[in-house]
Amino acid sequence: MKLYDFPGPPSPRRVRIFIAEKGLDIEKVSVNIREGEHLSEDFKKINPHCTIPVLELDNGTRISSIDAINRYLEEIHPEPPLFGKNPEERAVINDWNHYVTVNGFMAVAEALRNSAERLKGRAITGPRDFEQIPALAERGRQRVMNFFEDLNTHLAGREFIAGDNYSVVDIGAMVVVDFSGMAKLTVPEEYTDLKRWHAAVAARPSAQA
């Protein structure tokens, strides 16, 4: 296997952390999105959606969504279980994973991609250009702050977001909190439970992957 990715951006980082938690050693091929390599004709042959990461299997099959990559790796390397150990745990984790993706990750992306100067004309990832919409940036910022509030409330008395163990949800939510800084959004000081949880998960060795 090999992973096409680039250090720094939130999407490949989520997979990098997952791989580190699994203790896997997967070949990595850098695709410099800052230089536009993901939009090149050569990379379009690998992933016509022009996004990273992409996991290429030994038989040539390519997987280009974060959830699908992580689920495949969980199937072939089930320990430690990051999607749950039984049907109930898996359901709760999947439920929260969806919430974090839609209300956290997508909200930050909406705020950032519709406001950052360097992303003018590139408000949506992929091969096609889209103009920024300032109203969507403002809505994204409001959604992120709502996400922080809801997560802080949920984490009161909890060590992890979805159940009693560290999971893919903690990976995704931590990356969302860090990613929000790129949109100049930070967790309010009064959200002490969210800040406590973030400090703990950010201290894990995998968070530096």
Coordinates of all heavy atoms in Angstrom, one line a residue, residues 1-3 24-28 55-58 72-73 76-77:
M1 N 0.8 -1.2 0.0 CA 0.0 0.0 0.0 C 0.9 1.2 0.0 O 2.0 1.2 0.5 CB -0.9 0.0 1.3 CG -2.0 -1.0 1.3 SD -3.1 -0.7 2.7 CE -2.0 -1.1 4.1
K2 N 0.3 2.3 -0.5 CA 0.9 3.6 -0.3 C -0.1 4.7 -0.2 O -1.2 4.6 -0.8 CB 1.9 3.9 -1.5 CG 1.3 4.0 -2.9 CD 2.5 4.2 -3.9 CE 2.0 4.1 -5.3 NZ 3.1 4.2 -6.3
L3 N 0.2 5.7 0.5 CA -0.7 6.8 0.8 C -0.2 8.1 0.1 O 0.9 8.6 0.4 CB -0.8 7.0 2.3 CG -1.8 8.1 2.8 CD1 -3.2 7.6 2.6 CD2 -1.6 8.4 4.2
L24 N 1.0 1.4 12.2 CA 1.3 0.9 10.8 C 2.4 1.7 10.2 O 2.6 2.9 10.5 CB 0.0 0.9 10.0 CG -1.2 0.2 10.5 CD1 -2.4 0.4 9.6 CD2 -1.0 -1.2 10.8
D25 N 3.1 1.1 9.3 CA 4.1 1.7 8.5 C 3.7 1.6 7.0 O 3.9 0.6 6.4 CB 5.5 1.0 8.7 CG 6.6 1.8 8.0 OD1 6.4 2.9 7.5 OD2 7.7 1.2 7.8
I26 N 3.1 2.7 6.5 CA 2.7 2.7 5.1 C 3.5 3.8 4.3 O 3.7 4.9 4.8 CB 1.1 3.1 5.1 CG1 0.3 2.0 5.8 CG2 0.6 3.2 3.6 CD1 -1.1 2.3 5.9
E27 N 3.9 3.3 3.1 CA 4.7 4.3 2.3 C 3.8 5.5 2.0 O 2.6 5.4 1.7 CB 5.0 3.6 1.0 CG 5.8 4.5 0.0 CD 6.0 3.8 -1.4 OE1 5.6 2.6 -1.5 OE2 6.5 4.5 -2.3
K28 N 4.5 6.7 2.0 CA 3.7 7.9 1.8 C 4.4 8.6 0.5 O 5.6 8.7 0.4 CB 3.8 8.8 3.0 CG 3.0 8.3 4.2 CD 3.1 9.3 5.4 CE 2.3 8.7 6.5 NZ 2.8 7.5 7.1
L55 N -5.5 6.3 -0.7 CA -4.8 5.1 -0.3 C -4.8 4.2 -1.5 O -5.9 3.8 -2.0 CB -5.5 4.4 0.9 CG -4.8 3.1 1.3 CD1 -3.4 3.4 2.0 CD2 -5.7 2.4 2.4
E56 N -3.6 3.8 -2.0 CA -3.5 2.9 -3.2 C -3.2 1.5 -2.7 O -2.1 1.3 -2.0 CB -2.5 3.4 -4.2 CG -2.4 2.5 -5.4 CD -1.5 3.2 -6.4 OE1 -1.9 4.0 -7.2 OE2 -0.3 2.8 -6.5
L57 N -4.0 0.5 -2.9 CA -3.7 -0.8 -2.5 C -2.7 -1.5 -3.4 O -2.5 -1.0 -4.5 CB -5.0 -1.6 -2.4 CG -6.2 -1.0 -1.6 CD1 -7.4 -2.0 -1.5 CD2 -5.7 -0.5 -0.3
D58 N -2.2 -2.7 -3.0 CA -1.2 -3.4 -3.8 C -1.8 -3.8 -5.2 O -1.0 -3.9 -6.1 CB -0.7 -4.6 -3.0 CG 0.1 -4.2 -1.8 OD1 0.6 -3.0 -1.8 OD2 0.2 -5.0 -0.9
Y72 N -11.2 0.7 5.9 CA -10.4 -0.4 5.3 C -9.3 -0.8 6.2 O -9.1 -2.0 6.4 CB -9.9 0.1 3.9 CG -9.0 -1.0 3.3 CD1 -9.5 -2.1 2.7 CD2 -7.6 -0.8 3.4 CE1 -8.7 -3.1 2.1 CE2 -6.8 -1.8 2.8 CZ -7.3 -2.9 2.2 OH -6.5 -3.8 1.7
L73 N -8.6 0.2 6.7 CA -7.5 -0.1 7.6 C -7.9 -0.8 8.9 O -7.3 -1.7 9.4 CB -6.7 1.2 7.9 CG -6.0 1.8 6.7 CD1 -5.4 3.2 7.2 CD2 -4.9 0.9 6.2
I76 N -8.5 -4.6 8.1 CA -7.3 -5.4 7.9 C -6.4 -5.4 9.1 O -5.6 -6.3 9.3 CB -6.6 -5.1 6.6 CG1 -6.0 -3.7 6.7 CG2 -7.4 -5.3 5.4 CD1 -5.1 -3.4 5.5
H77 N -6.6 -4.3 10.0 CA -5.8 -4.2 11.2 C -6.7 -3.8 12.3 O -6.8 -2.7 12.7 CB -4.7 -3.2 11.1 CG -3.7 -3.5 10.0 ND1 -2.7 -4.4 10.2 CD2 -3.5 -3.0 8.8 CE1 -1.9 -4.5 9.1 NE2 -2.4 -3.7 8.2

